[in-house]
């Protein structure tokens, strides 16, 4: 099953007020820019990954924090989740179109930073 909550669309010509505390776009920005949200989006940029593969690709993240981050990103419609009914269940995650759109500038930022850093000794 591929899931995710549909994003609320602004009325034609209307924009979200991201500076208002009740703005739904503000919640999405908070989830994307959270300590682990950026790394999840970057990790999923080229491949769909299972939970354990994501955990291994993001050093330092606990299972609990990965699960919470993924739950928020799925709810925001940035990441999809597919559960295969096996024993134990295999859960795969990937970026939605919205997630790819949001993740693209993050990937560019990441690439620019790593290209500018001086080589590690």
């Amino acid at each position: 099953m591929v899931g995710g909550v549909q994003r609320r669309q602004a009325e034609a010509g209307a924009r979200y007020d991201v500076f208002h505390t009740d703005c739904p776009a503000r919640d999405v920005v908070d989830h994307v820019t959270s300590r682990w949200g950026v790394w999840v989006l970057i990790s999923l940029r080229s491949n769909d990954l299972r939970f354990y593969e994501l955990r291994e690709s993001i050093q330092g993240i606990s299972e609990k924090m990965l699960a919470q981050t993924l739950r928020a990103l799925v709810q925001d419609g940035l990441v999809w989740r597919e559960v295969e009914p096996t024993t134990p269940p295999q859960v795969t995650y990937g970026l939605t179109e919205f997630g790819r759109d949001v993740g693209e500038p993050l990937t560019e930022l990441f690439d620019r930073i790593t290209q500018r850093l001086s080589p590690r000794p």
Side-chain angles (χ1 to χ4, degrees), residues 20-62:
H20 192 276
T21 57
D22 294 335
C23 178
R26 190 173 183 162
D27 290 337
V28 175
V29 170
D30 286 345
H31 295 151
V32 168
T33 60
S34 69
R35 179 171 182 189
W36 300 111
V38 171
W39 301 116
V40 168
L41 293 176
I42 290 173
S43 292
L44 291 172
R45 67 184 165 187
S46 56
N47 294 324
D48 302 338
L49 297 172
R50 292 204 171 121
F51 184 89
Y52 75 90
E53 293 171 322
L54 262 172
R55 189 185 68 223
E56 289 178 4
S57 72
I58 306 171
Q59 293 184 5
I61 192 168
S62 68

Side-chain angles (χ1 to χ4, degrees), residues 6 15 21 28 30 39 41 56 58 91 101-102 107 110 118:
Q6 290 183 346
R15 296 193 55 112
T21 57
V28 175
D30 286 345
W39 301 116
L41 293 176
E56 289 178 4
I58 306 171
V91 184
D101 287 347
V102 170
T107 298
F110 175 79
S118 46

Side-chain angles (χ1 to χ4, degrees), residues 74-119:
V74 167
Q75 187 174 22
D76 292 338
L78 296 162
V79 172
W80 56 261
R81 176 182 191 264
E82 182 177 12
V83 179
E84 296 177 38
T86 59
T87 305
Q90 294 182 348
V91 184
T92 305
Y93 295 90
L95 295 179
T96 63
E97 183 180 341
F98 180 36
R100 284 188 299 276
D101 287 347
V102 170
E104 187 176 321
L106 296 174
T107 298
E108 290 175 15
L109 175 66
F110 175 79
D111 290 343
R112 286 181 186 183
I113 290 170
T114 56
Q115 289 169 1
R116 295 281 185 149
L117 289 175
S118 46

